[in-house]
Amino acid sequence: MAGSTNSIAFLCRGLAKRGHQVYLGIRKESLLWQLVEDSNVVRVPMSFGGKFDLNNWKQIRDVVRQHRIELINAQSSHDRYTSIFANKFFGLGTKIVHTRRQMPLSLGGPVQRFLYNHWTDGIVAVSRQVKEELVKLGFNEANIKVIHNGTPTEKYAHIDMHKTEALRSKFAINENDFVLGCVSRIKNQIQIIKALAHVEQPVKMIFCGIEATEEMKEIIAGYRAAHQVFFEGHVEGDNILPYYKLFDAKILASTMEGLSQSLLEAMALKVPVIATAYAGNLDLIEDRENGLLFEDGDIEKIAELIQRVRSDQSLRNTLIANGKITALQKFNIDRTIANYEEYFQSLVTEN
């Protein structure tokens, strides 16, 4: 296994618990190094340069031969390329599976299509929409397996409520405030900021993951309602979970998510979600049942949904109850791990 997202740590730990020998190739300074420290996962220190660096390929060659690795699952673009080239150049004979977590935009044209269609053994798409876009770009449909992202129940058992209370004081939140949260890297947050201009009742808006741009500041300065907008920048690891306890609703305007972990986190923590009717959000959300959907770019609809989730308590109760079931049952990480296990075993036992 190789990559840079926390999901990889949960997948590795889960497969190791099921009795599989799992090796995680990462940098020692990576957060993942600590996340699998107390598990049966074997950590292999790697130091990657460029995709075409022979030393990178040699690292993979040596690890594969030393540990007799049968399958590599690469989950970042750099690792995907490097594993392909090392396997082919040294004739390692290991299976290569790539996981795509984001919606594909441009995939490098004919060369990358060749690598995916001829030099890999499978692609895991984390939603139906990721698979559909890959097929449109010329990737072999029979080579793509949909395995949804999942979220672990235990992740939510020990949230530091002292941090939540400190944040509540920081933002001066009282019981009458309506707090809207967004947890994401820079992905269309400008739509949310524009929509708030159409919301009449004051909102406290907290953005985790970004800093304000000049365009955002200009729009905010023109608000007629007394909205308060906060930009928290990058929030590390599980430090994000106490923020959800502040939110009365969570909104995501992204069209890039393969299947959003931040939406799953909000649903698991009983926060109603509003999201773009696009990409993996469509696998995760059934409109008005476990979340609310809007078409990309529909600013007035975003404003309408913010006001609806604020004022309609019956709707809120429905979204909260069904959202929690969706996150902790239907999209539980145990299902994800079991599906990966079955898929990996099918590839390894192929003749």
Side-chain angles (χ1 to χ4, degrees), residues 103-151:
M103 289 292 286
L105 296 176
S106 172
L107 290 180
V111 172
Q112 194 166 109
R113 281 197 296 274
F114 176 84
L115 294 177
Y116 272 81
N117 289 335
H118 300 283
W119 285 7
T120 70
D121 298 277
I123 302 170
V124 172
V126 298
S127 66
R128 291 180 296 110
Q129 293 73 28
V130 171
K131 177 177 180 177
E132 288 166 5
E133 289 303 309
L134 288 170
V135 172
K136 288 178 185 177
L137 289 168
F139 293 84
N140 182 3
E141 183 173 7
N143 208 33
I144 305 171
K145 174 73 171 179
V146 174
I147 300 178
H148 288 125
N149 280 347
T151 195

Side-chain angles (χ1 to χ4, degrees), residues 314-341:
S314 177
L315 174 64
R316 287 180 58 79
N317 292 341
T318 297
L319 300 182
I320 288 169
N322 292 338
K324 184 175 180 180
I325 290 170
T326 298
L328 297 183
Q329 296 182 24
K330 185 176 180 181
F331 288 87
N332 189 288
I333 192 68
D334 289 339
R335 285 194 174 193
T336 302
I337 293 166
N339 288 334
Y340 266 103
E341 178 183 41

Side-chain angles (χ1 to χ4, degrees), residues 43-165:
R43 297 175 294 180
V44 181
M46 308 288 274
S47 55
F48 291 135
K51 299 169 185 173
F52 301 101
D53 186 337
L54 187 60
N55 288 326
N56 293 350
W57 304 359
K58 287 179 179 177
Q59 287 183 72
I60 293 175
R61 175 200 64 190
D62 294 344
V63 171
V64 168
R65 289 178 176 172
Q66 178 184 354
H67 300 291
R68 299 181 182 179
I69 289 173
E70 298 178 86
L71 183 147
I72 296 174
N73 177 219
Q75 301 205 11
S76 72
S77 58
H78 186 285
D79 299 318
R80 287 194 289 268
Y81 277 114
T82 307
S83 60
I84 288 175
F85 295 139
N87 194 45
K88 193 69 175 179
F89 188 81
F90 294 112
L92 300 177
T94 190
K95 300 285 186 178
I96 303 291
V97 177
H98 297 163
T99 295
R100 289 207 63 89
R101 296 187 172 277
Q102 298 287 332
M103 289 292 286
L105 296 176
S106 172
L107 290 180
V111 172
Q112 194 166 109
R113 281 197 296 274
F114 176 84
L115 294 177
Y116 272 81
N117 289 335
H118 300 283
W119 285 7
T120 70
D121 298 277
I123 302 170
V124 172
V126 298
S127 66
R128 291 180 296 110
Q129 293 73 28
V130 171
K131 177 177 180 177
E132 288 166 5
E133 289 303 309
L134 288 170
V135 172
K136 288 178 185 177
L137 289 168
F139 293 84
N140 182 3
E141 183 173 7
N143 208 33
I144 305 171
K145 174 73 171 179
V146 174
I147 300 178
H148 288 125
N149 280 347
T151 195
T153 305
E154 64 269 21
K155 179 177 180 178
Y156 309 104
H158 304 290
I159 296 174
D160 190 340
M161 293 305 296
H162 294 294
K163 289 184 179 179
T164 296
E165 291 308 311

Side-chain angles (χ1 to χ4, degrees), residues 292-308:
L292 299 175
L293 295 172
F294 60 88
E295 294 299 324
D296 181 39
D298 191 341
I299 303 302
E300 291 186 359
K301 183 67 172 182
I302 297 172
E304 176 194 327
L305 294 180
I306 291 171
Q307 293 176 115
R308 187 185 301 173

Side-chain angles (χ1 to χ4, degrees), residues 2-268:
S4 58
T5 69
N6 291 1
S7 300
I8 297 169
F10 290 112
L11 176 58
C12 288
R13 292 169 69 100
L15 290 170
K17 282 182 180 178
R18 291 169 180 259
H20 301 283
Q21 191 67 50
V22 179
Y23 299 86
L24 180 59
I26 49 174
R27 296 179 179 88
K28 277 191 173 182
E29 62 271 21
S30 167
L31 175 63
L32 296 182
W33 189 267
Q34 284 77 42
L35 288 178
V36 298
E37 186 170 14
D38 59 344
S39 70
N40 293 326
V41 177
V42 179
R43 297 175 294 180
V44 181
M46 308 288 274
S47 55
F48 291 135
K51 299 169 185 173
F52 301 101
D53 186 337
L54 187 60
N55 288 326
N56 293 350
W57 304 359
K58 287 179 179 177
Q59 287 183 72
I60 293 175
R61 175 200 64 190
D62 294 344
V63 171
V64 168
R65 289 178 176 172
Q66 178 184 354
H67 300 291
R68 299 181 182 179
I69 289 173
E70 298 178 86
L71 183 147
I72 296 174
N73 177 219
Q75 301 205 11
S76 72
S77 58
H78 186 285
D79 299 318
R80 287 194 289 268
Y81 277 114
T82 307
S83 60
I84 288 175
F85 295 139
N87 194 45
K88 193 69 175 179
F89 188 81
F90 294 112
L92 300 177
T94 190
K95 300 285 186 178
I96 303 291
V97 177
H98 297 163
T99 295
R100 289 207 63 89
R101 296 187 172 277
Q102 298 287 332
M103 289 292 286
L105 296 176
S106 172
L107 290 180
V111 172
Q112 194 166 109
R113 281 197 296 274
F114 176 84
L115 294 177
Y116 272 81
N117 289 335
H118 300 283
W119 285 7
T120 70
D121 298 277
I123 302 170
V124 172
V126 298
S127 66
R128 291 180 296 110
Q129 293 73 28
V130 171
K131 177 177 180 177
E132 288 166 5
E133 289 303 309
L134 288 170
V135 172
K136 288 178 185 177
L137 289 168
F139 293 84
N140 182 3
E141 183 173 7
N143 208 33
I144 305 171
K145 174 73 171 179
V146 174
I147 300 178
H148 288 125
N149 280 347
T151 195
T153 305
E154 64 269 21
K155 179 177 180 178
Y156 309 104
H158 304 290
I159 296 174
D160 190 340
M161 293 305 296
H162 294 294
K163 289 184 179 179
T164 296
E165 291 308 311
L167 291 169
R168 193 177 300 279
S169 297
K170 174 182 176 179
F171 300 121
I173 296 170
N174 63 55
E175 61 181 14
N176 296 319
D177 287 330
F178 181 79
V179 182
L180 185 62
C182 177
V183 178
S184 174
R185 292 171 293 169
I186 189 72
K187 294 174 183 176
N188 288 347
Q189 284 92 337
I190 192 69
Q191 293 185 13
I192 302 168
I193 289 171
K194 288 179 178 178
L196 287 174
H198 301 273
V199 176
E200 295 179 359
Q201 291 178 284
V203 169
K204 284 193 173 180
M205 177 77 231
I206 301 174
F207 288 100
C208 297
I210 65 168
E211 302 287 352
T213 65
E214 289 305 314
E215 181 184 11
M216 291 174 180
K217 292 176 183 178
E218 184 177 342
I219 296 169
I220 292 167
Y223 286 162
R224 288 172 296 178
H227 301 317
Q228 293 178 275
V229 183
F230 305 93
F231 294 87
E232 288 292 272
H234 176 69
V235 180
E236 192 68 48
D238 285 346
N239 288 331
I240 194 62
L241 296 182
Y243 281 86
Y244 287 100
K245 291 293 188 178
L246 304 174
F247 301 160
D248 294 296
K250 193 266 186 194
I251 186 166
L252 182 71
S254 173
T255 57
M256 286 296 297
E257 307 298 322
L259 199 144
S260 170
Q261 279 292 329
S262 70
L263 288 177
L264 285 172
E265 288 171 343
M267 295 164 104

